Amino acid sequence: MADDRDAWFSGDWRDPAQHPSTPVARPRPAFGKARELHLRSRPASHQEERARARAVLDAGRDAMAESFAAVQAGKPLEKTELVEIVDAVTASLIRDPLALPGITRLRERHEQTYLHSVAVCGWMIALAQEMQLDPELIRDAGLAGLLHDIGKATMPSDLLDKPGKLTVEEADLMREHALRGHEIVSVVPDMPGIVLDVCRNHHERPDGAGYPDGVTGEAISVYAQMAAVCDFYDKAINPPPGGEKWPSSQAIDHLKAERGAFDERVVRAFARVVGTFLPGALVRLRSDRLAVVLDESDRDPLHPMVAVFRYIGGAPVTPQRMSTKTDPIIGIERPESWQFEDWPGLRRKLLALSE
């Protein structure tokens, strides 16, 4: 079977106006930032990489806070520092793919908007690498992820921080962030076309149910499709104030089930990025016990921590947290096949063992 990437990169979806044959020179990271952003650091232990990733995340949060403040003050965006953040996120993911995603969930309420942008930047870079984009396009995709919500800088802060569901009027106002973001980035010199595209179109959907223009199918670029998936996933596992937090497996299941809302090929690629044993997934162990993969940032991708709760034959087990190094996972199970009385409730109870 042909690889999904064959269709993506046959060339017909690229806009020549956005990708000139002579690439624009990109600014190099300032040397003074190198230590803070760990651009030249060598691979180290996972614990050390987590500390480095924390520094990169903090720098990204501060850069986005400054960018929001600049927009609110009517000043232009400073692209050079943002490109440095993209490079730092890329370097962190190359050194340790688990370090940065693991700590993006550690958010204070007032940091949600800024850290969501940094997280989407990281997911965009990882997804672009999985899809084997050219390095220059990977950088542009990362910058697009970082700036995809810059239009929210024009929204009232109480609206951004409001817990619970927005009113119809508030939701209509919030939808304007896509067009406003496009306007903001379009006046920045040498801003890649991918960034303009993503800022405007990351809420468009293949079935036409998106906004701001309600375009459909192939009229939505692969970059906007990527951003739609990354944006939804991060909001699902790291919800805004008042939102319901989903396990990673539930978020991926939703992306796969909503066939008209997300590009299926992009979703499959993203699922590979997130990993095989998603937190919240139902698995079978070698001991013939059922367990749920726990949501732990320090997990070993091949031997994650789980919460066991039942034998295959039906005998209950007192729920307990355990490693799968001595009792490995031998298969992923479909919850509907087991006819649990309340699977979402049971899963939430078991995931609590990771805290």
Side-chain angles (χ1 to χ4, degrees), residues 127-318:
L127 180 55
Q129 290 172 334
E130 171 64 29
M131 293 165 59
Q132 298 184 359
L133 268 66
D134 294 336
E136 194 70 19
L137 297 182
I138 293 175
R139 174 187 263 180
D140 290 352
L143 185 59
L146 197 61
L147 289 172
H148 78 287
D149 270 347
I150 191 63
K152 289 184 177 179
T154 67
M155 298 291 153
S157 59
D158 58 345
L159 186 60
L160 294 177
D161 296 334
K162 180 181 177 179
K165 190 174 182 179
L166 301 180
T167 66
V168 174
E169 293 77 13
E170 290 170 338
D172 288 341
L173 176 58
M174 185 65 79
R175 289 190 185 97
E176 293 182 13
H177 82 273
L179 288 175
R180 294 187 186 187
H182 180 265
E183 292 172 359
I184 291 167
V185 297
S186 64
V187 298
V188 179
D190 298 324
M191 185 64 78
I194 291 174
V195 179
L196 276 66
D197 173 25
V198 165
C199 283
R200 182 184 183 102
N201 298 315
H202 65 282
H203 284 291
E204 297 288 5
R205 297 294 181 260
D207 60 6
Y211 62 88
D213 302 307
V215 295
T216 62
E218 295 181 1
I220 308 172
S221 75
V222 68
Y223 304 110
Q225 300 276 20
M226 292 164 61
V229 169
C230 296
D231 178 57
F232 173 85
Y233 177 80
D234 186 68
K235 285 179 180 175
I237 66 171
N238 301 301
E244 178 186 358
K245 182 181 177 68
W246 286 9
S248 295
S249 58
Q250 183 178 350
I252 294 296
D253 288 346
H254 181 87
L255 286 166
K256 290 178 178 178
E258 295 294 314
R259 296 182 180 273
F262 302 99
D263 185 280
E264 295 180 34
R265 298 165 301 172
V266 173
V267 170
R268 286 197 295 270
F270 188 76
R272 294 195 298 269
V273 168
V274 173
T276 302
F277 301 130
L278 301 173
L282 178 66
V283 296
R284 178 193 296 242
L285 306 183
R286 187 170 60 188
S287 61
D288 275 343
R289 291 183 292 179
L290 293 177
V292 164
V293 178
L294 295 180
D295 188 1
E296 297 192 337
S297 58
D298 283 323
R299 69 187 185 277
D300 177 344
L302 298 180
H303 304 96
M305 298 295 293
V306 298
V308 297
F309 67 97
R310 173 176 170 174
Y311 277 100
I312 296 298
V317 175
T318 300

Side-chain angles (χ1 to χ4, degrees), residues 113-136:
T113 300
Y114 308 138
L115 292 186
H116 170 66
S117 297
V118 182
V120 172
C121 169
W123 291 121
M124 285 285 282
I125 291 169
L127 180 55
Q129 290 172 334
E130 171 64 29
M131 293 165 59
Q132 298 184 359
L133 268 66
D134 294 336
E136 194 70 19

Side-chain angles (χ1 to χ4, degrees), residues 24-98:
V24 177
R26 302 294 183 198
R28 293 184 178 181
F31 181 76
K33 298 266 187 177
R35 177 171 295 182
E36 178 186 357
L37 298 181
H38 301 287
L39 290 165
R40 298 172 177 82
S41 298
R42 295 187 178 185
S45 68
H46 179 64
Q47 202 62 30
E48 185 172 348
E49 288 295 346
R50 277 176 58 84
R52 293 172 178 175
R54 178 76 254 183
V56 171
L57 190 66
D58 288 346
R61 176 202 60 205
D62 293 345
M64 289 310 300
E66 292 170 4
S67 296
F68 269 58
V71 170
Q72 291 161 353
K75 299 178 181 178
L77 289 177
E78 175 50 61
K79 191 182 72 167
T80 301
E81 182 177 0
L82 297 177
V83 172
E84 292 173 358
I85 297 298
V86 173
D87 288 342
V89 171
T90 302
S92 176
L93 291 171
I94 290 174
R95 290 192 302 265
D96 185 338
L98 295 178

